[in-house]
Amino acid sequence: MKNIDKTKKFLENKVTRRKFIQNTAMTSVSIAAVAAVGGHDSRLFSQGQQSWRSQFYDSLDKNPWLYAFKGVSEQKLGPAGLVQISGKIPKGLRGTLYRNGPALHEMGSLRYHHLFDGDGMVQAYHIGNNTVGHLGRIIQTKKFKKEFSAGKRLLDGFGTSVPGAERAYTSSDDLNAANISVLHHHGKFFALWEGGSAYEVDEKTLETVAPYVLGEGLEGFPFGPHPRVEKDGTLWNVGYSLARQGLVLYHIDAQGKMLKWKF
């Protein structure tokens, strides 16, 4: 009986742990950042309390991992190269690694409260014969240009309520931060976001070209950041629009021609 009771207790604890892990996995990384800067809900700060921005900087020494979320203060980084390399870069490791992610977390006196809110920056790491070059550019989205011109945040983010934020959105691209991933397809290079258009970017200079229209009637319609590209170059993707209350399934050939899309 003792063995049965122990087994039963073990299984009950295992189920409890599994539920805990599942629930924890659904919690945003921002919870850790909130705990690190004082354990408060970022939306509850009042004018009389220490600002989220100052709390973040006061927490850097105690929580050095937060430096990863400090972000950039410039729109352009590089071109630059490594000053010193220890050892040798493997001969087979040549080419360019492209990365995209939230990079500009502060504007004016406001620091975003969630890491997903930062304006996207595409970065390129050029790996050659014992050399590594770097280039980075903030993506010139409609949202970024509007806010940069004003010198302050004007729109709410994924996890940040902006005081006096504008509410008159014409499309999801008004909020597009283009900060999730990148995609090479049919000779073009794109910065992607969950709820808006793909932004075309020059893959050599990283300068922003324009939002990319995938087909007639799809202007401003979301093009998801996690497409599936088949071996033959065929691309599958989805996009969901709250404004239109619909889901689009994209099917695009290797040359960029829309084979079929369904709303």
Side-chain angles (χ1 to χ4, degrees):
M1 285 295 294
K2 287 184 177 180
N3 290 336
I4 294 175
D5 290 340
K6 286 182 179 179
T7 302
K8 182 179 179 182
K9 187 174 183 180
F10 170 79
L11 291 174
E12 288 174 347
N13 289 337
K14 188 174 182 181
V15 170
T16 301
R17 287 197 300 272
R18 182 180 298 138
K19 287 183 178 179
F20 173 78
I21 292 171
Q22 289 173 341
N23 291 337
T24 303
M26 295 299 291
T27 304
S28 168
V29 177
S30 65
I31 297 300
V34 167
V37 296
H40 301 291
D41 185 331
S42 61
R43 294 173 183 263
L44 300 181
F45 291 130
S46 67
Q47 294 294 331
Q49 294 175 302
Q50 185 186 24
S51 73
W52 178 263
R53 182 177 184 276
S54 60
Q55 286 199 42
F56 177 85
Y57 283 101
D58 288 347
S59 301
L60 288 178
D61 290 338
K62 293 181 180 179
N63 304 278
W65 60 270
L66 284 173
Y67 276 98
F69 307 112
K70 185 178 180 181
V72 300
S73 57
E74 303 292 335
Q75 293 188 47
K76 298 182 178 183
L77 299 178
L82 289 181
V83 176
Q84 181 179 353
I85 295 178
S86 299
K88 292 184 178 180
I89 297 175
K91 292 182 179 180
L93 185 60
R94 298 291 184 272
T96 302
L97 171 67
Y98 292 96
R99 305 289 289 176
N100 183 17
L104 190 64
H105 299 282
E106 297 181 20
M107 187 177 291
S109 60
L110 187 144
R111 178 178 176 82
Y112 276 140
H113 301 168
H114 198 294
L115 64 93
F116 290 176
D117 290 336
D119 297 289
M121 171 177 270
V122 174
Q123 301 188 64
Y125 300 87
H126 305 292
I127 304 172
N129 296 320
N130 248 31
T131 63
V132 178
H134 174 260
L135 189 66
R137 296 289 184 269
I138 290 290
I139 303 159
Q140 301 293 304
T141 62
K142 177 181 179 180
K143 168 189 174 294
F144 171 77
K145 290 192 292 185
K146 182 176 182 177
E147 293 183 328
F148 182 78
S149 178
K152 63 179 182 179
R153 295 298 184 188
L154 301 172
L155 303 159
D156 285 338
F158 173 84
T160 308
S161 292
V162 174
E166 296 180 4
R167 307 294 180 186
Y169 310 139
T170 58
S171 78
S172 57
D173 271 344
D174 290 337
L175 305 173
N176 191 342
N179 65 4
I180 296 181
S181 63
V182 293
L183 168 70
H184 273 106
H185 197 258
H186 64 278
K188 294 184 180 295
F189 182 54
F190 304 101
L192 306 180
W193 189 60
E194 195 75 58
S197 301
Y199 262 85
E200 185 179 354
V201 175
D202 186 297
E203 66 176 305
K204 293 183 178 180
T205 66
L206 302 188
E207 298 296 336
T208 305
V209 179
Y212 192 73
V213 180
L214 292 153
E216 186 177 351
L218 292 175
E219 294 84 355
F221 206 94
F223 185 79
H226 309 294
R228 164 71 179 181
V229 181
E230 303 287 356
K231 290 183 179 180
D232 64 359
T234 300
L235 183 150
W236 297 86
N237 203 2
V238 296
Y240 178 72
S241 173
L242 285 172
R244 302 189 194 182
Q245 289 293 301
L247 180 74
V248 165
L249 174 65
Y250 298 99
H251 189 197
I252 302 170
D253 72 10
Q255 288 71 47
K257 180 182 177 182
M258 185 74 73
L259 297 175
K260 187 177 181 181
W261 66 272
K262 187 174 182 180
F263 182 77

